[in-house]
Amino acid sequence: MTDRTQEEIELVERYSAPNYHPLPVVIATGEGAWVTDVDGKRYLDMLSAYSALNFGHRHPALVRAAKEQLDRLTLTSRAFHNDQIGPFLRDLTELCGKELALPMNSGAEGVETAIKAVRKWGYDVKGVPEGRAKIVTFERNFHGRTTTIVGFSTDALARAGFGPFTPGFVTVPYGDAEALEDAIDDDTVAVLIEPIQGEAGVIVPPDGYLARVRELCTERNVLMVADEIQSGLGRTGSTFACEHEGVVPDVYILGKALGGGIVPLSAVVADREVLGVLTPGTHGSTFGGNPIACAIGREVVAVLRTGELQERSAKLGERMLRTLRESGLPAVREVRGRGLWAGVELARHAIPARARCEALLERGVLAKDTHETTIRLAPPLVISEEDLDWALERVLGVLEEVG
Ligand SMILES: *Cc1c(COP(=O)(O)O)cnc(C)c1O
C-alpha cells in the first residue's frame, strides 16, 4: 500500500463512525466499468455499488441530464410542483405497468413507504381491524437499515442492540411456499419479498416459487410487494427479476440504479388502489421527487426502455455464470445467480471470502464478500465482453491460488 492510500485510509479511520470495514483502496475517478485510485492504479468494478452503478460510472447520458438540471433548478420541495417530476413519474409508471409512483431517496425509505402504504391499504381497503395489520417477510431478508426494517431482519448483527422493534411482522423460510401459506391469515396485508435475495448471497428461489407467492397473494387478498431495489432495473437480464417467472407484483420498490449511480433515488410503484390511500399529510419527504433526481431517473428509464442493457446482462451473465460453474475448482461449492449477478459460495474449509477479495484487489478487480463464505459479483451492465473475461480470469486465478 502506498503512503497516499495509507494517509487517506487513516483519515477515514480517524473521523468516520466505524460502521464499515472497506477494502483498502481509495478511489478517485471512475468511467464505465473502471475506476482509478489515488495512485493512478486501475481496477475493474465488479460490485457496482451493490447495483446502484448498473449503468457504469458516469454514464454520459445520465451525467448530461444531471449537469443540465444543475444549471436550471435543484430543489423545490413538494410544497410546489417542478417541471421534472411529472415526466419522470409518467415514464417510470409506464416502465412498470402501474398507475402511480411515489418518489423517495434511499432504498430503506422506499421500503418504509411501501410498509406504510400496504398497512393503510389493509385498513382502508381490505378492512383489517385497526392496529392488527401483519406483513410476512423472509429469513435472511435485507431491506435496509432503519429501526423498523432491522426489526424484521434475521441477521443478528443487523438487529442486536437496536431494539425495541416495530411489531406487525412475521418471518418464514425463503423458498418454502407451504410455510408462507400457513403464515397468511385474515390480518395479513402484504408479503414483502426480494425476488432474488441479494445481501444474503444472491439466493435464487426454487423454480415456480415466485409464481406460487403471486398465486397465494391473489387468493388470500394480500399485496405482493417485490423489493427490486437490487434485483431490478436490468441486473438479472430483464427489467425486473419477477419477470423470470412471469410474475407481476402489486407493488414494486425500486432504488439503487434508479438514481443512475449519481444521486439517491427510490420509488414505490403500484396501482391507484394501493398508493391512492396516501392522502396529503400522511407521507412525504423534503428531497423526494427533487428535480435533479427526477431528471436523472427519467434518463435511467429511457436507457432501460430500449432493452439493450437487459439483453447484455442476460447474454454476458450466462457467460459469467457458465465460466464460474465450469471451473470445477475445489474452493467453489456453488455458483448462484441470474444475469450479471453471481454469488460464488466457497467451500467451508477454504480461505474466507474477505481474503480472496483482498487478493482480487491486488490483481485489479473490485469485488465484495458477504457472510464470510460468498463472493458477490455484479459488474456494471455496460461492461465489455473482453473486460468481463479479464475479470473472470482473475477471479478464477484467485480461487485457484488462494486456498
Ligand atoms: C440496498 C437495498 C435496500 C436498502 O437501500 P438503501 O439505499 O441502502 O437504503 C433495500 N432492499 C434491498 C433489496 C437492497 O438491496
Side-chain angles (χ1 to χ4, degrees):
M1 197 184 302
T2 65
D3 290 351
R4 178 71 202 282
T5 294
Q6 188 67 45
E7 262 170 47
E8 298 287 348
I9 290 174
E10 275 170 14
L11 203 57
V12 174
E13 285 178 349
R14 179 152 173 205
Y15 291 108
S16 171
N19 61 323
Y20 274 100
H21 179 35
L23 287 162
V25 56
V26 181
I27 299 167
T29 61
E31 186 177 4
W34 291 87
V35 297
T36 305
D37 75 6
V38 286
D39 299 309
K41 183 177 172 189
R42 292 191 353 125
Y43 303 84
L44 191 54
D45 186 351
M46 292 288 283
L47 178 67
S48 309
Y50 305 96
S51 286
L53 287 162
N54 275 4
F55 315 110
H57 294 266
R58 297 190 302 114
H59 186 288
L62 303 179
V63 167
R64 194 181 319 120
K67 281 184 173 166
E68 283 176 11
Q69 190 55 42
L70 259 178
D71 285 334
R72 282 200 301 260
L73 178 73
T74 59
L75 188 63
T76 54
S77 85
R78 292 202 58 189
F80 315 109
H81 292 280
N82 68 65
D83 64 1
Q84 297 301 309
I85 188 169
F88 165 59
L89 296 179
R90 177 195 61 208
D91 294 356
L92 179 64
T93 50
E94 192 190 297
L95 183 80
C96 298
K98 298 288 184 194
E99 292 170 350
L100 303 180
L102 197 170
M104 296 294 283
N105 310 285
S106 70
E109 276 181 310
V111 174
E112 291 277 354
T113 301
I115 290 169
K116 285 176 70 177
V118 299
R119 281 180 168 179
K120 195 147 196 309
W121 172 88
Y123 301 128
D124 293 2
V125 180
K126 182 170 174 172
V128 171
E130 185 58 39
R132 298 252 303 260
K134 211 166 89 176
I135 296 171
V136 183
T137 63
F138 296 87
E139 284 173 11
R140 307 189 72 188
N141 71 72
F142 183 85
H143 298 286
R145 299 291 196 170
T146 64
T147 45
T148 288
I149 292 171
V150 299
F152 58 80
S153 170
T154 60
D155 177 352
L157 207 54
R159 293 168 56 89
F162 301 121
F165 298 119
T166 313
F169 299 91
V170 292
T171 303
V172 299
Y174 188 71
D176 181 344
E178 253 171 60
L180 174 61
E181 195 170 356
D182 292 343
I184 294 175
D185 64 23
D186 291 345
D187 294 335
T188 306
V189 296
V191 170
L192 172 60
I193 189 165
E194 296 161 85
I196 291 177
Q197 289 186 322
E199 297 305 299
V202 195
I203 312 286
V204 182
D207 282 344
Y209 177 67
L210 292 175
R212 182 66 189 134
V213 172
R214 172 68 278 183
E215 225 170 60
L216 281 169
C217 286
T218 305
E219 275 169 21
R220 309 287 291 274
N221 192 24
V222 164
L223 298 173
M224 178 177 180
V225 181
D227 180 346
E228 293 248 21
I229 289 170
Q230 193 166 160
S231 60
L233 309 183
R235 175 51 60 193
T236 66
S238 54
T239 305
F240 303 109
C242 282
E243 282 174 56
H244 293 286
E245 292 206 5
V247 162
V248 178
D250 299 294
V251 179
Y252 289 106
I253 312 173
L254 304 174
K256 293 202 165 107
L258 191 59
I262 303 174
V263 292
L265 173 59
S266 61
V268 177
V269 191
D271 282 338
R272 188 172 297 278
E273 180 192 310
V274 181
L275 279 178
V277 301
L278 297 173
T279 50
T282 58
H283 194 62
S285 159
T286 304
F287 283 88
N290 73 75
I292 293 183
C294 289
I296 295 166
R298 190 178 173 198
E299 200 57 42
V300 162
V301 173
V303 167
L304 285 168
R305 214 160 20 210
T306 68
E308 219 173 285
L309 285 180
Q310 292 90 320
E311 234 170 83
R312 268 189 91 66
S313 177
K315 184 171 149 258
L316 293 185
E318 222 177 271
R319 186 186 181 87
M320 176 170 85
L321 292 170
R322 188 173 0 101
T323 305
L324 293 167
R325 283 179 179 137
E326 286 176 357
S327 69
L329 294 169
V332 179
R333 199 162 66 111
E334 183 188 26
V335 178
R336 300 178 294 264
R338 186 160 276 159
L340 273 173
W341 200 16
V344 180
E345 188 70 31
L346 303 172
R348 285 198 196 288
H349 64 270
I351 293 191
R354 168 86 189 188
R356 290 180 198 272
C357 288
E358 283 166 0
L360 270 175
L361 183 69
E362 288 288 310
R363 291 162 169 80
V365 174
L366 300 185
K368 184 73 175 72
D369 51 299
T370 176
H371 297 287
E372 281 167 31
T373 55
T374 312
I375 301 173
R376 176 186 3 205
L377 300 173
L381 311 182
V382 296
I383 194 171
S384 72
E385 200 168 303
E386 297 71 41
D387 285 348
L388 180 65
D389 287 348
W390 184 89
L392 290 174
E393 228 171 84
R394 272 140 196 88
V395 170
L396 293 182
V398 159
L399 289 169
E400 220 166 89
E401 284 167 35
V402 189

